[in-house]
Amino acid sequence: MAAALALAVALPLSVTACGGGSGGDDGKIVIGTKFDQPGLGLKNPDGTMSGFDVDVATYVAGQLGFTPDKIEWKESPSAQRETLIQNDQVKFIAATYSITDARKEKVSFAGPYLVTGQSLLVKADNTDITGPDSLQNNKKLCSVSGSTPAQRIKDKYPGVQLQQYDTYSACVEALKNGAIDAVTTDEVILAGYAAQSPGTFKIVGQPFSEENYGIGLKKDDTELQKKINDAITKMEADGDWAKAFEKNLGPAGIATPAPPAIAK
Ligand code: GLU
């Protein structure tokens, strides 16, 4: 009886140890990022990963003791990020992930490591969309489920016809073929898509929010949070942060800013 009970208790633990997959046991670390956002988190046709989020995450993993060959990348669409962290499917997420109070109910954040703001992407020849207010005029706007930009449109511009897709790349495809009139999300993300198809799109208006990108991790894991904050601080101090920014976002026409201060 006692042995059976011990087995019943031990089993779930061993399942977690092999199947949880977010790090440790096989010497690998699982990191969440986007796979379809050029300049930030992109899985290339040859299977390699690139982007600023990828470089920051790779640096952080290095500081935690994991060389790049020990990283397993897990695609983390906007609406799935909290769940991926809560279910231990990833050790941490660097995926254009804004720090918000609502999300802090479910996960914790290190950082911020980048500050940007919500903006609009339209076709290069569009003339009648100039900012969020001009969208109330029967325009179809695309954003992504579970994102702060989609939520802001619902809260502040309820007259806009918002369509929520799973990914921004799907929104950009719909913009290209005329199914929608504009895409909204953070300016750095939109700039990455614009740079990918020169002459096709343009960003209009001024950013209308402040988005602070953090690295999402298990709620209240203050030890990991401190290690990641120390890693980001080191990356900023040794110049690798600026180099990564220039390499990934410079081609999209974004000047390298001073890195943001880590939240206290
Ligand atoms: N930074 C915003 C967010 O976390 C938009 C980008 C995204 O959806 O990844 O919701």
Side-chain angles (χ1 to χ4, degrees), residues 10-258:
L11 197 59
L13 288 173
S14 65
V15 166
T16 307
C18 338
S22 74
D25 308 312
D26 53 357
K28 291 230 176 197
I29 184 168
V30 184
I31 301 176
T33 193
K34 299 295 181 79
F35 279 14
D36 68 327
Q37 296 182 185
L40 290 152
L42 187 68
K43 186 165 183 172
N44 300 297
D46 67 359
T48 59
M49 298 292 299
S50 59
F52 185 66
D53 282 344
V54 168
D55 286 353
V56 170
T58 302
Y59 188 99
V60 168
Q63 294 299 304
L64 298 177
F66 297 89
T67 50
D69 58 305
K70 297 290 181 211
I71 299 173
E72 194 180 302
W73 299 99
K74 171 97 183 144
E75 186 170 21
S76 305
S78 301
Q80 293 177 30
R81 292 174 294 201
E82 287 83 40
T83 311
L84 285 166
I85 292 169
Q86 287 175 310
N87 293 348
D88 288 321
Q89 286 168 276
V90 293
K91 191 74 184 170
F92 64 80
I93 288 185
T96 58
Y97 199 7
S98 297
I99 302 170
T100 70
D101 288 339
R103 289 172 179 163
K104 278 196 213 163
E105 308 266 319
K106 297 177 174 174
V107 300
S108 290
F109 288 97
Y113 63 90
L114 182 72
V115 182
T116 179
Q118 183 170 356
S119 195
L120 294 172
L121 188 75
V122 298
K123 284 255 191 76
D125 59 1
N126 178 280
T127 50
D128 60 352
I129 298 175
T130 49
D133 288 313
S134 60
L135 296 166
Q136 316 243 29
N137 196 11
N138 249 330
K139 298 293 183 200
K140 291 197 204 93
L141 177 67
C142 192
S143 196
V144 164
S145 320
S147 71
T148 52
Q151 192 58 49
R152 189 166 295 102
I153 296 296
K154 287 187 263 183
D155 293 344
K156 301 232 165 97
Y157 304 94
V160 174
Q161 295 184 48
L162 177 68
Q163 305 196 1
Q164 296 184 78
Y165 290 12
D166 288 338
T167 61
Y168 296 109
S169 54
C171 284
V172 170
E173 206 42 50
L175 179 62
K176 204 179 258 177
N177 68 35
I180 53 131
D181 301 303
V183 179
T184 189
T185 188
D186 306 329
E187 192 169 36
V188 286
I189 301 175
L190 298 175
Y193 289 118
Q196 200 182 34
S197 306
T200 313
F201 306 116
K202 66 180 176 190
I203 293 173
V204 290
Q206 291 304 310
F208 50 100
S209 76
E210 186 182 295
E211 307 293 325
N212 289 274
Y213 288 180
I215 292 188
L217 58 121
K218 192 94 186 210
K219 188 167 159 63
D220 298 330
D221 188 345
T222 48
E223 197 183 315
L224 181 61
Q225 184 185 41
K226 183 179 183 309
K227 281 185 191 161
I228 297 179
N229 276 334
D230 289 348
I232 296 170
T233 304
K234 184 156 189 274
M235 186 181 187
E236 293 174 355
D238 67 17
D240 283 12
W241 184 93
K243 266 187 230 150
F245 195 103
E246 262 160 49
K247 180 182 103 193
N248 294 297
L249 298 166
I254 306 169
T256 305

